[in-house]
Amino acid sequence: MSRSATTAIEKIINLLSTEPALDRLGHLNNDDWEDMAVTAIALGLAPLLHWHLARIQVTLPPIVMAKLAVTRQAHAKRNEAIGQQLAELLAVFAQQKVDVLVLKGALLAPTVYAEAALRPMNDIDLLFRTEDLFRVGDVLERLGYQGKHKSAGQGPGVTKHLSTYRRAGNQGATPNPYLSAGGDRMVEPHGSLEEAWFGLKVDITPGAWERAVPISLYDQPAYRLSTSDMVLHLTVHAAFHVIMGASVFVQLYDMGRVLETWSAELNWPQVLNLTRMAKAQAFVYAGLYWARALYQSPIPDAPIMALEKECSPNLVAYVQSLDAWGIFKRTQHPPLTTLKQRLRRGVLDRQEAARWAGSLSQKWQIWQTALAFYKTDTASLLKKGLKAQG
């Protein structure tokens, strides 16, 4: 990527931080602002950027401000529709006496942001009790959703949800979810909060339901994670986004909003205890470190320093080396158009996962996934290609 992209993401993060350095904006020209707008739109940060610029009354080219404003309006319309979709789901599940714990953007947009439009989202992620999972598909199908199911061992081995549901005829999905405002959103029923990627696994589910907080969302009964569990979920999820090479700037911004909104409920000793029980020190450390380093999120020194001592020095150095530009580069991958590119990407993905492994046995589990080539997406595509040629 060009250095202009570096400048763009660094300046966006500066403006979104708790204490932006406004003196850095004086020399920006129209092209600089255009780069920032395009980058912000692509990363899902445009509504937030527009909101922050309006608050601090920064003057910028009218066409750039218009692009950001239009994107914010589109997300407002989209999130309103998502809210209506979620309200319908919660009402039906309540009738069926199925508890629903709302996750990620579907929860955070209407609860911790000044307005829902500021938190772009794509899918509706819902956590269900294990004993209720078998009923969830039937309920969704009666509402007109169609399910897609996959094997737990397929591809990188993601298991927190093995089914996705979408209404027939939905055209809302795009390669970049932040660039589409139309259509119903996909519903992802989760049976756990486990994060997994090529043999690297962390499960923070145990006890989450017992600590869950009942809430009213869109005038319907629901649950959210306790604030301590939410810190774990947000940090582990953000770390895995970086490991997978997925965009993470919105997710890291979430941390500050959660900490400010539910600070009275936050119990840092409990966060550390739950982190250790899940053996998630590296991931929670990374998420906390990046959220504070990028956005000045209100995270005290004590938990970060405690977790740093429990991580390998090499991993600590790596986490601290990833500034806004470094994280941005992790998300930029050329399209995979050849078998050679796919094989190389598979090696790089496993190298990154192994970097985070806490033991030699876990590293072996990661590299062992390469031996099961027949389970990979690359193998599936290769088989389809061979059949087509035959």
Side-chain angles (χ1 to χ4, degrees), residues 292-313:
R292 190 171 75 167
L294 268 63
Y295 297 118
Q296 286 80 58
S297 297
I299 302 167
D301 289 335
I304 292 182
M305 293 176 63
L307 292 172
E308 181 177 316
K309 293 177 182 177
E310 299 176 30
C311 299
S312 74

Side-chain angles (χ1 to χ4, degrees), residues 197-201 312 314-315 349-371:
W197 189 248
F198 291 111
L200 184 68
K201 296 182 180 181
S312 74
N314 287 342
L315 184 61
D349 282 342
R350 290 173 176 85
Q351 282 180 342
E352 182 64 23
R355 184 199 300 275
W356 295 78
S359 65
L360 289 176
S361 62
Q362 194 174 42
K363 289 180 185 291
W364 167 239
Q365 289 175 0
I366 292 167
W367 285 109
Q368 197 174 31
T369 62
L371 301 178

Side-chain angles (χ1 to χ4, degrees), residues 207-246:
W209 269 110
E210 288 73 14
R211 295 182 293 271
V213 179
I215 59 171
S216 177
L217 198 60
Y218 302 108
D219 297 321
Q220 300 298 330
Y223 287 85
R224 69 166 174 87
L225 293 171
S226 72
T227 306
S228 294
D229 284 306
M230 199 172 300
V231 169
L232 259 70
H233 186 228
L234 292 177
T235 51
V236 172
H237 186 64
F240 268 80
H241 262 236
V242 173
I243 294 167
M244 295 184 292

Side-chain angles (χ1 to χ4, degrees), residues 4-67:
S4 62
T6 309
T7 303
I9 189 58
E10 288 175 345
K11 291 189 179 299
I12 291 168
I13 296 302
N14 168 50
L15 286 168
L16 298 185
S17 65
T18 303
E19 299 179 1
L22 301 183
D23 57 317
R24 300 180 189 176
L25 305 179
H27 66 282
L28 295 181
N29 57 36
N30 287 4
D31 288 340
D32 294 326
W33 282 112
E34 177 69 17
D35 284 346
M36 289 173 64
V38 171
T39 302
I41 291 170
L43 295 177
L45 297 172
L48 275 171
L49 182 59
H50 182 265
W51 183 68
H52 278 272
L53 288 170
R55 287 179 67 208
I56 59 181
Q57 300 181 332
V58 172
T59 302
L60 63 160
I63 186 64
V64 173
M65 200 63 170
K67 286 182 179 180

Side-chain angles (χ1 to χ4, degrees), residues 1 169 179 196 259 337 351 375:
M1 297 297 296
L179 301 181
L259 294 180
T337 58
Q351 282 180 342
K375 294 183 179 181

